Amino acid sequence: MTLNQPLTGDLHDMIATVACEAALAAGIVAHRGFVNASPETLQTQQKAGFFDIVTASDKAAERAACDTIWSRLPASRILGEEGGWQGEGETTWIIDPIDGTSNFASGLPFFCVSIAAYHAGKAVCGVVYDPVREELFMAAHGRLTLNGEPIKPFLRGRTDREVEVLTNAPYEGERPCRAAQEAHADLVNAFRAVRRLGSCALHLAYVAVGRVAVCYESKFNAWDIAAGIQLVEAAGGQVVAADAEGRRIEPNEDALASVKRLVVAQAGFDYQSSCLSAVMAGGTL
């Protein structure tokens, strides 16, 4: 995939262009590491445990994204999953170089690059790039595009019974408690199907473009959700975010780290009658 959009004098346009360039640069590295997988390219290391890993390709992809950003917009500070906070400037970038690392390391072709950009505290753009399918989902100027083409998703269904839900819960690393098992059973009983695809950012992107009606997540970091939330908002979808105590919050740049549970849904989906509203309130899944 190539990018042919020229830089303009508008700073937000420039940021959006650089975000695409950075996502593509990281995607090239990730795709190469996936296709040519070897013990050297993977070099899997544990972070929080056996269920939370990083590979050499994660680190290389993040470097590619950061180098692209700083070469074009030096006055940038970046929060990367692997490198933490780096740099200074009014433009903030939140990067997950490979969201879905476990899939990536296992040879499953479902992972992506996620990049969100903010300037002076305002959301500017969100990009999620799937290098395997060469799909670049982007939110900028209040518009949602896929590979540069505007997207107008149709409603998949209004109620739980009519649709699938995407969720990675319950999560690896510890045995789910009985309450969490019951909450997951409620999802299985309520929805037409429950799908666990292994990439939070792609889950959100798929809701944004209308491939699925709703998604629920409850174990993530800012880099997992920052770009995807912008995609859903640009599509006119619903974003329901809650903190650790279950209080509703706006998932802006400053509050992203406080978001602990998240539902995103298509605009016409009836969230209030969905079992997800009870799951969000219960906080056990």
Side-chain angles (χ1 to χ4, degrees):
M1 181 177 181
T2 59
L3 182 70
N4 297 314
Q5 180 182 354
L7 287 178
T8 72
D10 182 83
L11 178 59
H12 283 199
D13 285 343
M14 182 181 294
I15 292 170
T17 298
V18 173
C20 290
E21 292 176 350
L24 292 172
I28 289 171
V29 173
H31 187 260
R32 184 184 302 124
F34 182 77
V35 172
N36 300 319
S38 68
E40 290 72 30
T41 59
L42 293 177
Q43 293 181 28
T44 303
Q45 299 174 339
Q46 294 184 14
K47 294 195 289 185
F50 69 92
F51 54 91
D52 184 14
I53 60 173
V54 61
T55 71
S57 291
D58 288 84
K59 298 175 182 179
E62 184 167 304
R63 284 195 300 273
C66 292
D67 288 347
T68 299
I69 291 167
W70 281 320
S71 71
R72 303 280 263 151
L73 292 168
S76 293
R77 66 176 193 143
I78 298 174
L79 172 62
E81 178 176 9
E82 311 310 332
W85 283 108
Q86 303 176 72
E88 296 181 359
E90 275 198 295
T91 305
T92 300
W93 305 78
I94 301 179
I95 299 176
D96 191 338
I98 301 180
D99 184 61
T101 298
S102 184
N103 285 348
F104 174 88
S106 299
L108 296 173
F110 196 81
F111 56 88
C112 66
V113 180
S114 176
I115 299 179
Y118 305 81
H119 184 76
K122 180 179 179 181
V124 176
C125 67
V127 175
V128 171
Y129 178 52
D130 177 345
V132 174
R133 293 163 189 80
E134 295 192 320
E135 290 187 325
L136 191 145
F137 307 85
M138 182 173 186
H141 299 295
R143 295 192 317 133
L144 174 68
T145 58
L146 174 55
N147 291 343
E149 297 297 322
I151 295 294
K152 295 182 179 179
F154 67 88
L155 182 62
R156 292 288 176 176
R158 296 185 180 277
T159 66
D160 294 357
R161 283 285 187 266
E162 299 174 274
V163 301
E164 298 179 342
V165 60
L166 298 182
T167 182
N168 289 312
Y171 298 87
E172 299 84 358
E174 60 183 2
R175 184 178 178 86
C177 66
R178 179 57 62 87
Q181 292 174 348
E182 291 293 337
H184 187 258
D186 288 341
L187 297 187
V188 173
N189 186 59
F191 285 92
R192 187 173 68 195
V194 179
R195 296 286 183 255
R196 177 192 185 95
L197 304 183
S199 169
C200 180
L202 277 176
H203 279 185
L204 272 59
Y206 278 21
V207 172
V209 298
R211 292 177 181 172
V212 70
V214 62
C215 165
Y216 169 76
E217 303 288 1
S218 62
K219 189 175 181 180
F220 46 75
N221 292 288
W223 46 76
D224 299 309
I225 62 173
I229 284 175
Q230 291 194 45
L231 296 178
V232 175
E233 290 177 337
Q238 304 174 67
V239 177
V240 183
D243 64 14
E245 283 71 47
R247 295 181 296 244
R248 289 280 293 268
I249 56 176
E250 289 298 320
N252 53 38
E253 179 189 352
D254 292 335
L256 276 174
S258 298
V259 178
K260 301 303 178 186
R261 297 197 293 279
L262 179 69
V263 170
V264 297
Q266 290 189 280
F269 180 76
D270 187 359
Y271 169 72
Q272 295 304 320
S273 68
S274 171
C275 78
L276 286 173
S277 61
V279 170
M280 281 283 280
T284 57
L285 184 62

